[in-house]
Structure formats: structure tokens, C-alpha cells
Amino acid sequence: MRFDKPAGSNPADRGTVLGQPLPRIDGPLKTTGTAPYAYERHDVANGQLVGYPVGAAIAKGRIRSMDTRAAKAAPGVVAVITTLDMDRLPKARMNVAYLFGGRDIQHYHQAIAVVVADSFERARAAAALIRTDYDEDKSASFDLAEQRRAHQDDEVEPMAKVGDFDRAFAEAPVKLDQTYTTPAQSHAQMEPHASIAEWKDGALTLWSANQMIEWSKQALAKAFDLPAEKVRLDSPYIGGGFGAKLFLRADAVLAAVAARETGRPVKVALPRPLIANNATHRGLTIQRIRIGTDRDGRITAIGHDNTSNTLPGGDGENGAAPTQHFYAGANRLLVHRPLEMHLPESNAMRAPGETAGLMALEVAMDEMAGKLDMDPVAFRVLNDTQVDPDNPERPFSERHFVECLERGAERFGWNERNRKPGARRDGQWLIGHGVAGAYRGAPVQASGARVRLKPDGTVRVETDMTDIGTGSYTIIAQTAAEMLGVPLDAVDVALGDSDAPASAGSGGQWGAASSTAGVYAACVALREAIAERLDADPEDLSFADSVVRHGDRRTPLTEVGGGEELVAEDKIEFGDFRGKEYLLATFGAHFVEVGVHAATGEIRVRRMLAVCDAGRILNPVTARSQVIGAMTMGVGAALMEELAVDTRYGFFANHDLAGYEVPVHADIPEQEVIFLEGEDRYSTPLKAKGVGELGICGVSAAVANAVHNATGVRVRDYPVTLDKLLDGLPDLA
């Protein structure tokens, strides 16, 4: 099915199941501990061995030699495989760093060996016995600020250049020119990267934790020089990913290498330090933002110059991305400077670009409102745009940002905030309120599914779509139930198996919208097959209560196939009209109240509100869970999360969950989420857009703005910690 014009009325519009606040169908499995996660799949292959990875102890250079004699002689060891035993494995386009093979070291904790033994403990103990001699390259730099100074005069092609920014900014009556920094961040998902690999008859099967099945299937085929049909991935449940598991990682490669070497299934999980340094992280940014307005507050010039770290060949964290489309302004200059360094690989983390970019932009917008003596909500409303600022001929398909701001302000009690920062106290606590806008694109990907109508009237949906804790099982089941007129408990959903039709996968905020559209397409094909069986026009059929109605006839679904299973398969493909004629995006507004202790500077978030505009909400329960989880991540990014760079040796020093701070229950107070009622006909046949990444966009800035409102202290370097506040706190008297 090709989606090449705006959606009209269709069977999914009924909303009897789709769009309803139904509990997650995978909930009982997860709450009882019976959902099969990758490392725990003891039953899929007999005689599993355990591999333990070894990471490089330098950030750049070459390996001279590796002494593995003691490791090979250790109890229980079956094999020791080093990177020197093989040529560098080819890497897929999505990977920046090479995953295994060869002498060259690109970053700290790059995988250089895997020790295979009959138990985890024995493999780990033997791994510690390997002795590696390096030829370290001392020329590498790991300090982003230092690199930015060294390259500040480099010519960079702007990502957007509209009008004459320099002239407009110079002539603007009111100006802001500030620099903001965001640190590297870890995905910190609960489940580590983990895989079990087995080879049979030259074919590779991998039971893994992976968000994008088709991408990784193709990457494995390339790495091991296999036809794609000789590779199978199975990943039905994933314990969090946030982008860390989008691409093929070292756990999968090491498991496959070890299984091929030993002739037995091998499981490998990355230890937590290797998740920080070997896998990926959100890149650091240094962002210079310049805004010029007229005296009424209308933006006449906006410039965003973003610098971020990347390994050679990567792109870093593009903080300027949201500024390209969010606010009006006739004169615009947006620049992204990825600087090649040898820190571990920076790559996608929840809302890449928008998260870090809005951490800066939405503080700058707050500062600009202060310069203008304007309400920060009113300043944002004034500079709303219904067209693409880079291309005014292209309107947004749907944009209700102003409604998000106004409805949120009313619900939150925004008019009661401090007009003067530092003016309100509650005992020893300074009370402040902050607001920030949220912007995230609404991309889609081609996505397929197979739907089976069984003789007993139940339905099975098969697609390689994944569920990373987002509710994919439930919304896919709701889509099939709506389209075929059956109750939700009559739908069985099988996800994450590469033998099923290829889907969009979970990433980029496209998963929900794309995968349900693919299931819709397959259900339309099945409805057509049913119509053919009944010798009826598909447009004349209606499905409800497990019965097909056509004219005066009523045929139970149990009778449609005459005792046989009916199967239909299709995929959704998207026409160019979505991006060329219209700009599709999601919007939101975040409101936060904080308390800051007047003596210690301790910050406590007291309440949070998010108002979201994301088209049709497929399931308000699962969507709310996505948003409150994203809001929680935003609090972490604002107040505590930072991968601390050792700029001498090029690694993240706090590479575990003891040293890398994330929010806990006590840090998160009341959270409220409001979804605007709406549909976007230009998005998908279901008129839905993603929401899981929108929820983090702008949250950190709303917290930072609230801290400023409470204390009068403006912090421009995240995280906002008490040491950055103490000197500027109001007098205690």
C-alpha cells in the first residue's frame, strides 16, 4: 500500500479499540518476570557457553601484542579469541566505530578480545589474565572546548542560511548572545547489550536485544560475508534502548565470532563500563545562540552554532536541528560543527539533536523574554509560525504549539509564578516556575506486516517490529482488532523476528506511527481476501463483534475461511508529498515547579506538566507512560546526568550506574500529561504521529528556567548542580 495523499475516512476511525486507554497486553509477562529477554533465553539453544569481552585500555593507537597463555590455561576456558586473530570486520553504514578485528584502536574500551568459558565467572576471571602491549598515539585530543578553540575559524557549510543574519542581528534593538554546554550522556538502560549466537549449516541465528531488526540483520550479513537469508535475528522483548540498541554492537559480533570458533552457542553481555565506553553515548555540545528581536519581541534574527564530538565519520549531536523549524525569524544562520575526536562513539540517544538543542535554545528563549520584560509564554506565542521558517512556501501539516502553551499555562497556574526571580519562599525553599517549548519531527519509515485469520476466528500479527518498553505489542493488537472487528484478546502479536516482514523498527519516533500503518495495510489486504471469499466488494464490508456484515448477510469470522487459515501480507510505503508539500512535526509545552534550598542550593522538582500535540493518540495509557518516562529523563539531563570525560586518557570515568547519576523515584514528583485531541491526515492512514521522543524535548530547559526563576541565578552549563548556584543565592535573611 502506498500512502501518497492525505488520509480520508477509513475503518480505523471508528475508535472502538484503537485510541482507547487499554492496559499493555505484555504487562503480565513483564511483571511476573516471564518475558524472555536476550541473555535469559536458556531454552533457545542447547549447551550455551559464556563469552566475556575485553576492552582496550587506550583511546587511540595500535596493539603490539597480546599474551593470552594464562587465560587459555584458566579453569573452564574453551576459547580465547583476540582482535589480532582476524582482519577488521566490515561495518555497516550505521556504525561509526569498527566493532572487532585488526590492531588499530579507535576509542577506549573498543572490543579487543572475548574469552569463552563454561560459566560467566570463569570467563570473567580468565579475561583479567590477558596482557596487552600497546603503541599509544599521544596526539589524540579528548577536550571538546579545546578542539572548538582550535577549529573556531574553520569554514563550515551552514545547515540553514536564510536572509542576512549578520546584518539583521547587528541592527536588532534587542539582542542575546550566549553560549551553552551540554555534557555527554549515557542511555543507562536497565538491560545491557546482550546476544546469544548459534551457527548451523553456515547460517547464523542471533537472539539479541536490538531495536532495529532489519538494519542489524543486514549489518551482520555484511560483517560475516553472508547472504541476508542466512541470518536470523530474534528480539521479542528489549529492556530499554533509547537509541543505544539501534545498530549492531560488539555483544552481537563477539557472540557470533565466538560461536563460530567454538562450534557451540555463545552468549555475551556487555558489562556496564563497556556500555558507556564501548557502545554509544549522546555527544557533548557547545552551543552559541544569538537572537535579535524588535522592541515588540518579534524575532528578526536567529543564529545557532553547534559544536559536538564524534569519531571520524560520525556526526555528533546536532543541537541546531530543532532551531531550523521551531520559531519564526526571517534571517537565520544555523551551523553544525562535528569535530573528530577519539572519545567513544557518539550516536543516537532519545530525540538526538532536539534534546540537547532545546536544552540550550529554550533557555535562550527564556533569557530573551527577560531582556524584553515579556512573559516567556507570550514571547513564544508571538514567535510561533505555521510555515517552515526555512521555506515559507511549505506549511506545517498540523501545528498546535500555541494551544499547548496556552492550555498548559492555564492548567499549571502560570500567572501565579514569580514576576521577579527569587521573590517567593516556602520556609527555607525558594520556589520557581519554568516553561519550555518542545519540538520533534514526525518521520516515518516503510513498514510491513503479515496478518493471519485463523479458523477459530482469532488473529495473529507477525512483523519484525520491536517493543523496547513502548507498548508496540498493544497498539499493534489494537490496530488489528479495530480493522478486523475482533476483541483485543483475540489478537496474538509476534514481534522482533527477522523471519517476519520487515518493519520500521523502534527509533526516531517513527516506530508507532509506521508499524501500525504497516499493520493497517496488511489488514486492508486481509479484508480484501475476505471480500473475495464472500464474493463481495471490500468497500461494502463492515467488521464488528467477530462478524463480517455485507448487505443483508452476516458471516462469522470462524466461517470465512471454510476451516482454512487466511493470510495476507503488505507494507506501507510513504509518498513524497509528506515532506515536500508539508512539514510534519510534533509539538509540546513543559511546565515545571522547583524548590531550591536557600542555604544549600539543593534542587527538588515539585511538579511537572506536559501538553503534547501529536495527532491521534493510539493508546493514551501507553503514550502517557512514554511521556512521563521521557520527562523523567529530562529531569536527569537537567540536574544530574553527565558522563565525565577524562581528558587525559579519553574515557568516561563514571562508567557505571554507581557513578552515573540518574533520577530515582524520590526525585520525581507529580507528573501530569495532557494530549491535545487531533488527527494529522498527512502523517499515516491512522492519522497518528510518534510521541515517545517529544516527551523529553524541552524538559531540561523548563527545569533550568524554573531554577533561575527561583534563585535569580542563570546556569548555562548542564547539569544544573548546586555548586553552580551557591555563590549567587539570595541572602538568607
Side-chain angles (χ1 to χ4, degrees):
M1 173 183 290
R2 188 165 179 81
F3 184 67
D4 54 11
K5 62 182 179 180
S9 298
N10 62 60
D13 292 334
R14 293 182 308 163
T16 57
V17 183
L18 195 62
Q20 298 303 310
L22 301 175
R24 284 168 51 158
I25 62 177
D26 54 322
L29 286 175
K30 291 182 175 177
T31 54
T32 57
T34 52
Y37 290 91
Y39 200 75
E40 303 162 350
R41 302 195 66 180
H42 313 295
D43 59 330
V44 295
N46 295 324
Q48 295 176 21
L49 297 170
V50 180
Y52 192 87
V54 178
I58 65 169
K60 186 182 181 185
R62 288 173 61 81
I63 297 173
R64 288 198 190 103
S65 64
M66 297 181 73
D67 186 344
T68 61
R69 290 171 294 179
K72 289 179 177 178
V77 171
V78 177
V80 176
I81 305 156
T82 79
T83 188
L84 303 183
D85 295 331
M86 56 197 304
D87 292 334
R88 176 178 276 176
L89 291 175
K91 67 180 177 69
R93 179 178 60 87
M94 301 296 183
N95 291 93
V96 180
Y98 287 93
L99 298 179
F100 198 62
R103 293 181 180 272
D104 292 336
I105 302 299
Q106 295 175 288
H107 62 86
Y108 188 85
H109 268 170
Q110 189 163 7
I112 60 171
V114 58
V115 177
V116 185
D118 57 8
S119 74
F120 171 82
E121 292 79 8
R122 284 176 159 178
R124 180 178 60 181
L129 301 176
I130 296 176
R131 296 292 176 260
T132 305
D133 186 23
Y134 299 97
D135 182 8
E136 187 173 2
D137 185 343
K138 299 288 189 178
S139 68
S141 173
F142 312 112
D143 187 325
L144 182 62
E146 179 185 88
Q147 286 298 299
R148 181 174 183 260
R149 288 190 294 271
H151 293 277
Q152 61 186 354
D153 296 327
D154 291 0
E155 288 292 327
V156 178
E157 183 69 23
M159 56 183 284
K161 186 176 182 180
V162 180
D164 188 340
F165 168 79
D166 291 333
R167 179 192 57 77
F169 184 72
E171 294 176 358
V174 186
K175 302 182 184 68
L176 173 111
D177 185 347
Q178 291 291 353
T179 297
Y180 308 84
T181 68
T182 65
Q185 296 170 5
S186 173
H187 304 79
Q189 72 279 0
M190 288 181 66
E191 181 195 29
H193 296 74
S195 297
I196 301 171
E198 182 179 41
W199 292 83
K200 282 186 177 179
D201 301 323
L204 171 62
T205 300
L206 198 76
W207 297 271
S208 189
N210 193 280
Q211 297 174 228
M212 304 291 293
I213 300 299
E214 180 64 18
W215 287 4
S216 291
K217 175 181 176 177
Q218 297 297 331
L220 278 166
K222 181 174 183 177
F224 291 97
D225 193 22
L226 294 170
E229 59 270 20
K230 289 283 190 178
V231 178
R232 178 181 171 233
L233 263 72
D234 189 27
S235 189
Y237 294 95
I238 302 168
F242 311 119
K245 297 172 182 172
L246 281 175
F247 318 121
L248 187 67
R249 302 307 322 168
D251 61 296
V253 169
L254 294 178
V257 167
R260 184 174 62 180
E261 175 71 17
T262 62
R264 291 175 59 182
V266 176
K267 62 168 58 179
V268 174
L270 296 187
R272 191 62 60 174
L274 267 71
I275 292 175
N277 287 301
N278 174 278
T280 64
H281 68 277
R282 190 192 301 284
L284 303 96
T285 72
I286 301 172
Q287 304 179 51
R288 182 189 182 193
I289 296 179
R290 290 175 287 173
I291 302 174
T293 70
D294 62 23
R295 297 198 183 279
D296 294 329
R298 289 181 174 81
I299 294 174
T300 57
I302 187 164
H304 195 153
D305 192 318
N306 179 81
T307 302
S308 185
N309 65 291
T310 179
L311 283 172
D315 197 44
E317 180 80 1
N318 185 359
T323 307
Q324 187 167 8
H325 302 302
F326 200 3
Y327 291 111
N331 301 282
R332 316 171 66 80
L333 180 62
L334 308 178
V335 177
H336 174 47
R337 304 172 188 269
L339 295 184
E340 293 186 350
M341 299 166 58
H342 282 269
L343 288 173
E345 179 177 335
S346 61
N347 215 315
M349 181 170 165
R350 197 173 198 169
E354 281 91 348
T355 295
L358 291 171
M359 288 171 76
L361 176 64
E362 287 300 297
V363 172
M365 291 292 288
D366 221 59
E367 292 200 65
M368 198 70 201
K371 284 178 173 287
L372 292 159
D373 195 25
M374 284 185 71
D375 180 329
V377 169
F379 179 54
R380 289 170 170 85
V381 169
L382 180 66
N383 288 288
D384 182 51
T385 174
Q386 293 298 307
V387 299
D388 179 357
D390 276 6
N391 178 15
E393 300 300 315
R394 183 172 67 154
F396 284 95
S397 60
E398 293 283 337
R399 176 176 169 132
H400 303 288
F401 177 48
V402 170
E403 186 178 347
C404 291
L405 288 165
E406 293 178 343
R407 188 166 173 184
E410 180 181 2
R411 178 73 176 180
F412 191 75
W414 180 251
N415 287 337
E416 302 302 315
R417 78 194 187 286
N418 290 336
R419 295 301 196 275
K420 179 182 178 183
R424 181 181 299 184
R425 294 197 182 211
D426 179 4
Q428 295 184 325
W429 295 88
L430 302 165
I431 307 303
H433 301 92
V435 65
Y439 175 93
R440 176 69 170 142
V444 289
Q445 298 279 329
S447 193
R450 183 184 303 121
V451 183
R452 302 178 185 273
L453 175 61
K454 295 180 174 294
D456 63 0
T458 61
V459 175
R460 179 177 172 87
V461 182
E462 300 165 352
T463 170
D464 80 357
M465 179 60 183
T466 50
D467 191 322
I468 55 176
T470 47
S472 300
Y473 279 99
T474 308
I475 59 174
I476 283 173
Q478 286 177 269
T479 303
E482 191 71 72
M483 291 295 294
L484 299 173
V486 299
L488 191 65
D489 60 9
V491 182
D492 172 41
V493 178
L495 298 183
D497 190 333
S498 64
D499 284 349
S503 75
S506 297
Q509 194 173 261
W510 61 60
S514 304
S515 65
T516 53
V519 173
Y520 169 90
C523 287
V524 168
L526 183 58
R527 287 166 65 106
E528 291 172 350
I530 292 171
E532 185 176 349
R533 285 289 183 115
L534 299 176
D535 194 24
D537 186 334
E539 298 297 323
D540 294 337
L541 301 186
S542 64
F543 292 71
D545 303 320
S546 299
V547 172
V548 186
R549 292 172 174 82
H550 45 112
D552 297 332
R553 297 167 58 191
R554 298 174 74 258
T555 305
L557 288 178
T558 53
E559 299 177 8
V560 167
E564 298 178 353
E565 181 180 80
L566 289 184
V567 183
E569 181 177 327
D570 201 356
K571 68 177 179 178
I572 192 79
E573 296 180 291
F574 295 92
D576 293 340
F577 83 100
R578 295 179 83 261
K580 288 185 177 179
E581 299 177 27
Y582 297 92
L583 179 56
L584 277 76
T586 59
F587 305 90
H590 291 283
F591 294 82
V592 172
E593 177 180 297
V594 303
V596 180
H597 197 278
T600 68
E602 176 190 352
I603 303 167
R604 292 185 183 175
V605 177
R606 294 160 67 108
R607 60 189 176 103
M608 306 176 72
L609 168 67
V611 184
C612 301
D613 168 29
R616 172 179 282 159
I617 300 301
L618 299 171
N619 183 323
V621 170
T622 59
R624 178 182 180 274
S625 292
Q626 283 301 288
V627 175
I628 65 173
M631 292 162 72
T632 301
M633 289 183 74
V635 171
L639 300 180
M640 59 196 73
E641 292 191 40
E642 177 181 13
L643 280 171
V645 180
D646 187 318
T647 57
R648 300 167 302 166
Y649 301 114
F651 70 97
F652 298 120
N654 54 335
H655 48 220
D656 54 40
L657 293 184
Y660 183 82
E661 301 282 346
V662 296
V664 296
H665 288 302
D667 297 311
I668 304 301
E670 171 190 344
Q671 293 175 300
E672 183 178 2
V673 180
I674 296 172
F675 295 113
L676 300 186
E677 293 184 6
E679 300 174 348
D680 193 328
R681 299 186 306 115
Y682 300 89
S683 180
T684 78
L686 302 185
K687 304 162 189 171
K689 295 184 280 195
V691 74
E693 299 191 350
L694 175 68
I696 193 175
C697 296
V699 175
S700 302
V703 174
N705 291 337
V707 171
H708 171 261
N709 184 250
T711 65
V713 181
R714 178 67 73 183
V715 178
R716 301 184 181 91
D717 301 301
Y718 289 95
V720 182
T721 47
L722 60 85
D723 57 299
K724 299 169 185 174
L725 299 175
L726 285 173
D727 290 345
L729 290 177
D731 293 338
L732 287 172

